[in-house]
Amino acid sequence: MSNDIQDLKQPLAKANAGLDSVHVFAPATVANVVCGFDVLGFAVNEPGDEVVMRRTNKPGISISKITGDNGRLPMDPAKNTVSVSVEHYLKSVGRLDVGVDIELHKKMPIGSGLGSSSASTVAGLYAIKTLLGDDSNPAKLLPFAMKGEELACGHGHADNVAPALFGGFVLIRSYEPLDVVRLPHPKDLWCAIVFPDVDVPTREARQIIRNKINMKDAVTQWGNIAGLVSGLFMQDIDLIGRSMQDVLVEPVRSMLIPDFYEMRKMAMDLGAVSFGISGSGPSVFAFTRDEQTARLITGKLKQHLNSIKIGANTYVSTINDAGPRVIG
Amino acid sequence: MSNDIQDLKQPLAKANAGLDSVHVFAPATVANVVCGFDVLGFAVNEPGDEVVMRRTNKPGISISKITGDNGRLPMDPAKNTVSVSVEHYLKSVGRLDVGVDIELHKKMPIGSGLGSSSASTVAGLYAIKTLLGDDSNPAKLLPFAMKGEELACGHGHADNVAPALFGGFVLIRSYEPLDVVRLPHPKDLWCAIVFPDVDVPTREARQIIRNKINMKDAVTQWGNIAGLVSGLFMQDIDLIGRSMQDVLVEPVRSMLIPDFYEMRKMAMDLGAVSFGISGSGPSVFAFTRDEQTARLITGKLKQHLNSIKIGANTYVSTINDAGPRVIG
């Protein structure tokens, strides 16, 4: 990594142009993709977070506005994951002389299991990179985004930030050293996402996972992740569906999600390719072969959750292949 | 599976031509490919076993000759894996009226971890299929070959028989139901195999594997299998090499192999892409980018084993993509 960061300094020294302000979107992400616990994630086109970043006259980072968070996120730049990772970036490229103000617009619920903090962090990092006219590979932002995750979740995982940054499906083969592989996917894959409005904090969701597991179950799990990766490369949606089974994490984490197995049955009966937990929940997602089936599933699941007095946000999206993008 | 076997009866009822005798080669295989314990195997062009099968006048199966086994394999057709699986096949296709005599020529050591019994079984099944003029998909032989494995190893695993039958790299995604996926591989991948002449019975090698493992290690392992599968699809030999690490099975099984870590260091220093145990050992294998490096490695490792008073067989081969073939 250190070499990459050294490389990063080069283009910046030359780049003087840049912009005065920029408006960036970064996608929500589904991590822990069923059998891919801790190693596989993907990005969607909806929802996502937005950052508006403006240059200021004096060095340092300020946050002037956060919307959509119901007052839950810190305005203090020393505590907000977006400003903290932007500061790490500025420090690494030797540009602590730069001053910026951040507006963060949350377009998805916090604590939803949809990589909310990652989307904000990646939007912020892509904004500062764009603002400074830094045209180096966005992959170089990954370590800074992971710093943001460390602050948000207590551990610097990459399975949300990497797909938010690269788009598409991303495999984190290894953390030490960091080895990230972008995987292809069938073009006609739709994602139906349902967020049941209940609280499942990431830290607690991690703690209920068993430390010791059966070798037999692990073999089942890695047969499935190998099948899922093969299905993605082969554009074989049936194989993707058959492989998306989780015998280790889902049986535990599903307990924190209202009517998880009822929702799975409904989704599969309606024609879903697969169904699982997004991140550490409580959001759930289904893959489908078309938009219509995805909308049918989100509609029925929302109806079901409402019938048991639980609110729900729903999203229907294709896979986001671009990662973050400038929208203004 | 039962439907497949029904299908098989159809062409056989029609096929009356067939042959009087056939000589078949089937390839050795490397199963438990490092991080792919119990789910991944591949076939090589050398070594392999050969079966000569001749029609006889009265129904039933006889074995008239076995060479290369030092008298270790049973001549009794009720106990030999080749004749037992051929009989299963004949029963399933409703052709117990057929009589055949089998000659089995072992061209690789028994108990070597190179899928010796699978190669013989697959050669036998391909021979009977050819003899009867059955032109259905060879994939339909898999359940019969697994019956042979059950007799040979005490469990009907598919990770040797499937690559011996299909050729190439084969993923066993699931056993119940059986789901087998053929994977691509880089064309310029060479395999250096060294069999140290020590005894590691498959049953015992299985028993020393721990039943309970750490979730953390399992995550490392499935990150690696996902990386290996990606590398095979992407023809990325570097990624294949980085991914071929086994934190769960190799640390235990390597204890049964003389100077395993010394041999690994020698192979990697000589330019191997990866190094690991073949099957349950004691054979070891290295991937290389060319024949010369593979020959250098087998030469040096054999020299080393001989220096500690252990005999060794060595093989250098590309990946076998065809599975079994008629050679006469």
Side-chain angles (χ1 to χ4, degrees), chain A residues 253-306:
Chain A
R253 281 195 171 162
S254 59
M255 295 188 295
L256 300 176
I257 298 170
D259 280 359
F260 177 82
Y261 291 102
E262 287 85 342
M263 290 198 286
R264 149 170 291 162
K265 186 172 183 324
M266 290 173 75
M268 298 308 287
D269 287 351
L270 289 166
V273 168
S274 62
F275 185 84
I277 301 170
S278 175
S280 51
S283 289
V284 292
F285 76 102
F287 280 144
T288 67
R289 290 168 192 274
D290 54 57
E291 181 175 3
Q292 198 191 349
T293 308
R295 295 211 180 278
L296 201 61
I297 289 169
T298 52
K300 291 282 181 189
L301 295 199
K302 182 176 180 147
Q303 203 177 11
H304 177 75
L305 287 167
N306 291 347

Side-chain angles (χ1 to χ4, degrees), chain A residues 35-39 171-174 179-183 209-231 233-234 239 242-245 248-249, chain B residues 35-39 171-174 179-183 209-231 233-234 239 242-245 248-249:
Chain A
C35 47
F37 176 68
D38 265 3
V39 305
L171 166 69
I172 320 292
R173 186 200 58 85
S174 150
D179 192 5
V180 171
V181 185
R182 203 168 179 281
L183 309 179
I209 295 173
R210 288 163 297 178
N211 287 327
K212 288 275 180 188
I213 59 175
N214 288 325
M215 174 68 97
K216 193 173 163 293
D217 292 333
V219 170
T220 301
Q221 199 88 344
W222 67 61
N224 279 325
I225 179 86
L228 172 52
V229 170
S230 301
F233 275 96
M234 295 161 78
L239 176 56
R242 293 199 302 278
S243 304
M244 288 180 74
Q245 298 179 42
L248 284 172
V249 179
Chain B
C35 46
F37 177 68
D38 264 3
V39 305
L171 166 70
I172 320 293
R173 187 200 59 85
S174 149
D179 191 4
V180 171
V181 184
R182 203 168 179 283
L183 308 179
I209 295 175
R210 287 163 296 177
N211 288 327
K212 288 275 180 190
I213 59 175
N214 288 323
M215 173 69 96
K216 193 173 163 293
D217 292 334
V219 170
T220 300
Q221 199 90 344
W222 66 61
N224 279 326
I225 179 87
L228 172 53
V229 170
S230 301
F233 275 96
M234 295 162 77
L239 176 57
R242 292 198 303 276
S243 303
M244 288 180 75
Q245 298 179 42
L248 285 171
V249 179

Side-chain angles (χ1 to χ4, degrees), chain B residues 148-212:
Chain B
E149 279 297 89
E150 206 173 313
L151 184 67
C153 316
H155 53 93
H157 268 228
D159 48 353
N160 283 111
V161 284
L165 190 57
F166 302 131
F169 279 78
V170 175
L171 166 70
I172 320 293
R173 187 200 59 85
S174 149
Y175 277 90
E176 287 175 18
L178 190 62
D179 191 4
V180 171
V181 184
R182 203 168 179 283
L183 308 179
H185 62 86
K187 284 293 151 261
D188 48 348
L189 201 59
W190 284 79
C191 188
I193 294 175
V194 176
F195 162 63
D197 194 2
V198 295
D199 205 28
V200 177
T202 306
R203 284 174 206 251
E204 279 73 37
R206 276 200 90 76
Q207 279 162 4
I208 63 168
I209 295 175
R210 287 163 296 177
N211 288 327
K212 288 275 180 190

